[in-house]
Amino acid sequence: PWAGFCAHIREMCALQAADRGLGDVLIRTFPGARALESERSRATRLSRQIVERTISAGLLRPDFVSQDIALILMANAGVVQAMGQDALEGSRRFVGLVLEALRGDRASPLPPPPSPPKVLRAMRAAAESTPRGGQ
């Protein structure tokens, strides 16, 4: 489960670093795009399953919640933006640091996560603050 969880996070962050348009889709909501939001819901369910399996195996810190993935992607978006042409290299380093911090055998208590509505609100705010087309 740990390898699958890490691959999931690494792949999403690498896609975000390689394709800024896709990166926008990963951290924003588009309420008017039903097909896109349907796929987002499906991806969220699958991510939740990966998280639950990895926690159950004792490999992911027990206080990790699936909406923490959105926080990782939002933070990675900042790294990608700041690193410019070196985005992939910076993203890989950031993801490596994050994954090491998430290992279940190294867990010490974290502050409580933001609620799912708060994360969704942040994603909506990000969508509203960016001009169309991710420019």
Side-chain angles (χ1 to χ4, degrees):
W2 179 250
F5 174 79
C6 290
H8 182 61
I9 299 297
R10 284 186 188 115
E11 183 65 21
M12 285 191 302
C13 289
L15 287 170
Q16 192 178 36
D19 183 336
R20 302 289 171 92
L22 177 61
D24 287 346
V25 170
L26 291 173
I27 63 168
R28 291 171 173 75
T29 62
F30 302 90
R34 291 182 189 208
L36 180 61
E37 288 304 311
S38 174
E39 284 302 311
R40 181 188 312 285
S41 293
R42 180 178 161 280
T44 299
R45 283 192 305 276
L46 294 173
S47 291
R48 190 175 304 120
Q49 289 174 356
I50 292 169
V51 166
E52 289 169 359
R53 288 179 186 154
T54 311
I55 289 173
S56 292
L59 302 169
L60 178 61
R61 51 181 313 121
D63 52 358
F64 188 88
V65 293
S66 58
Q67 63 263 30
D68 287 333
I69 293 173
L71 296 177
I72 291 169
L73 291 171
M74 286 180 214
N76 188 59
V79 170
V80 166
Q81 182 176 358
M83 294 293 295
Q85 68 183 23
D86 301 313
L88 188 56
E89 182 180 3
S91 174
R92 285 182 181 146
R93 175 66 178 183
F94 170 72
V95 170
L97 292 167
V98 168
L99 291 174
E100 282 303 307
L102 296 176
R103 294 176 70 85
D105 60 347
R106 298 186 180 119
S108 54
L110 288 174
S115 68
K118 288 179 181 176
V119 173
L120 186 60
R121 189 170 39 248
M123 293 169 73
R124 285 184 181 139
E128 293 169 3
S129 69
T130 302
R132 299 277 182 216
Q135 303 291 322

